[in-house]
Amino acid sequence: MADPLPNDRLFVSHPIFDVQAALAIFFGAAIAAGGGLGGGGVFVPIYILIQGLQPKFAAALSQATIFGGSVVNLLMNLRKSHPTRKHRPLTDFSTLLMFEPMLLAGTILGVLLNVICPDILILILLAIVLAYAVVRTLRKGISKWKQETKEMRTQKNNDETKMQTQQTMSIELQIAATNMATDNGSDANNNTTISNPRKATLDIPGTAVEVMTTDSKLRCMSMSQASASSMENADVSNNEALDIDIDAPTEQMQQLAQSCGVPVSQITTDKIEVCNEIVANESQTLKPMNIIALVWVVVSLFALAKKEDITGVDALYVPQCGWAYWLITWVPVPCMMAISLYMSKKEYVLYQQKVNSECWTPAKGDIQLDGSFVRILKYPLIATLAGVLGGLLGIGGGMIVSPLLIELGVLPTVAAATSAMAVLITSSSAMLQFLLLGYLELDYTFFFMAVGIVGTFVGQTLVNYMVKKFGRTSVVIFAVATIMALAIVLMSVNGVMSLMRGVSFAFAPPC
């Protein structure tokens, strides 16, 4: 290691700076948590500007902080369900399995470019990419805010109209009931008595209207007329009741219709088994998490294997930039491509089967996998580009994945949860590597990990409260835009300070 890790002690060497950094990290983590971001674009400049750490040590401590927050995100999101399909987890594992392998593969090339490119070029590219993402995300957030406002106004107007209708019907029925009671009271031959007027509820679909009645009903017909009417309609009533019992959908059909997003009339008896299978597949969390864990293990093992002193065994020594070094560097790429291709094909086939079943429709915000399979491959390619930008610019996957998913039309809360899961994978892998390389002091690591945990919990809780109270998921989009804008400001300050110290514009060799 060319540059040694500073031998500073937490709250001993620089207590004022430690407190300042902790407060800044807390608020950064709280804001980032709302959008499912790790916050690396903010944490790295904070550690550089306040703690005075070198960029590589700041990146290592940032990954530890991100990992702490991502664990909280995972635990909180696992308890949540999809906004419209309650049987699904909030995290879109289908999309994540298509994105994550190629996201990690792209970081391999991105990290290599990061080594080659000068710092000033990286800062310029970072500012351009984040500025573009902020503009697109803000536009999306404003559009979503306007849509939510329109929906709220429509709902308010509907409620007012419904209330006025109920009031009008209540008055009309009260007048009609009073008139009927008066007419019947004046006719002694009908033997109708009026006593104890009280309110009774009339069941009208979508309304609950109270009218004034006598003894719970108005006996407007004579007893003989009522008896004749009852005898005449007895068979008809029984037949109608029998037909309703036969044709009425069961509770299981109603639940399946809600879970599959179709009218209950499309859930016929012969499709119940197919619909149950669809719901069971969409409800899975353990299987996709096992696949994600496998991807994490593969990438981490290859990354650690090329470190010169990772094993301490001379026979396993891998000289830097030798043939074995480059082989270990690039072997994970085809592995990730194979996993991503397999998962994309599997999700594509499953999507076609669900659509062809005629008892399922995509939920609002689902990524459409219709058309040819070749068209579907654009999603892993987009993930690859996101990984390259993440590795090149030194930021976490969340700042790339979350705006990308929102741009593709994924619901903001689902995009945030999915992005948070992606951040957990990338940050845990990076933190492990930094820890084994000796880039982390344990006291600083655990302290700022704890700060990240608390900040993320507060941010998640606050955003959940705001979404529930105000009914606006657009606040998640604005949280994403805010954290990226803050990252641009901090990165710009860091870039200016680097220029003042003097920087090199020369490209470096990869080794």
Side-chain angles (χ1 to χ4, degrees), residues 265-300:
S265 59
Q266 292 185 225
I267 309 295
T268 56
T269 305
D270 59 321
K271 292 181 179 179
I272 290 180
E273 184 177 353
V274 176
C275 295
N276 277 325
E277 184 177 352
I278 291 175
V279 172
N281 286 332
E282 291 183 341
S283 303
Q284 289 183 348
T285 56
L286 185 59
K287 184 177 180 180
M289 289 185 69
N290 287 336
I291 297 175
I292 291 172
L294 176 62
V295 172
W296 183 90
V297 170
V298 170
V299 174
S300 297

Side-chain angles (χ1 to χ4, degrees), residues 147-306:
Q147 178 186 348
E148 292 170 344
T149 302
K150 183 178 180 181
E151 291 175 353
M152 288 179 178
R153 288 176 179 173
T154 303
Q155 183 64 37
K156 182 179 179 180
N157 293 335
N158 292 340
D159 292 341
E160 291 177 352
T161 302
K162 184 177 179 180
M163 183 178 297
Q164 292 175 356
T165 302
Q166 290 177 358
Q167 292 174 351
T168 302
M169 293 180 65
S170 177
I171 295 173
E172 291 176 352
L173 289 173
Q174 288 181 26
I175 294 174
T178 303
N179 292 336
M180 291 174 64
T182 302
D183 293 341
N184 291 334
S186 63
D187 190 354
N189 294 330
N190 288 337
N191 296 323
T192 303
T193 61
I194 302 176
S195 61
N196 299 326
R198 63 186 182 84
K199 290 183 178 180
T201 301
L202 232 98
D203 292 331
I204 299 175
T207 64
V209 181
E210 293 184 343
V211 298
M212 299 296 295
T213 69
T214 59
D215 293 331
S216 304
K217 63 180 180 178
L218 291 172
R219 295 188 292 274
C220 299
M221 294 188 301
S222 64
M223 294 300 295
S224 59
Q225 289 174 327
S227 300
S229 177
S230 299
M231 292 295 292
E232 182 180 355
N233 296 321
D235 294 335
V236 176
S237 299
N238 290 335
N239 291 335
E240 288 178 352
L242 183 61
D243 291 340
I244 292 174
D245 290 339
I246 293 175
D247 298 335
T250 64
E251 183 178 355
Q252 181 188 19
M253 290 181 177
Q254 293 175 347
Q255 291 178 350
L256 287 175
Q258 184 177 8
S259 299
C260 295
V262 296
V264 70
S265 59
Q266 292 185 225
I267 309 295
T268 56
T269 305
D270 59 321
K271 292 181 179 179
I272 290 180
E273 184 177 353
V274 176
C275 295
N276 277 325
E277 184 177 352
I278 291 175
V279 172
N281 286 332
E282 291 183 341
S283 303
Q284 289 183 348
T285 56
L286 185 59
K287 184 177 180 180
M289 289 185 69
N290 287 336
I291 297 175
I292 291 172
L294 176 62
V295 172
W296 183 90
V297 170
V298 170
V299 174
S300 297
L301 287 178
F302 276 101
L304 296 175
K306 67 180 182 180

Side-chain angles (χ1 to χ4, degrees), residues 124-161:
I124 293 174
L125 292 175
L126 177 63
I128 293 174
V129 170
L130 290 182
Y132 174 78
V134 167
V135 171
R136 296 299 298 265
T137 305
L138 276 177
R139 287 179 178 176
K140 194 76 174 181
I142 294 172
S143 175
K144 184 69 175 177
W145 179 277
K146 291 180 179 179
Q147 178 186 348
E148 292 170 344
T149 302
K150 183 178 180 181
E151 291 175 353
M152 288 179 178
R153 288 176 179 173
T154 303
Q155 183 64 37
K156 182 179 179 180
N157 293 335
N158 292 340
D159 292 341
E160 291 177 352
T161 302

Side-chain angles (χ1 to χ4, degrees), residues 377-444:
L377 294 179
K378 71 178 182 180
Y379 297 118
L381 291 177
I382 292 174
T384 305
L385 177 61
V388 171
L389 290 175
L392 169 61
L393 304 178
I395 58 179
M399 200 166 287
I400 301 294
V401 174
S402 187
L404 174 62
L405 293 178
I406 292 174
E407 185 68 24
L408 291 175
V410 178
L411 295 177
T413 51
V414 177
T418 306
S419 174
M421 187 67 184
V423 169
L424 172 66
I425 300 168
T426 54
S427 64
S428 58
S429 178
M431 190 191 79
L432 175 63
Q433 297 178 51
F434 283 129
L435 187 62
L436 294 176
L437 286 172
Y439 279 23
L440 291 168
E441 288 284 0
L442 293 182
D443 53 353
Y444 277 92

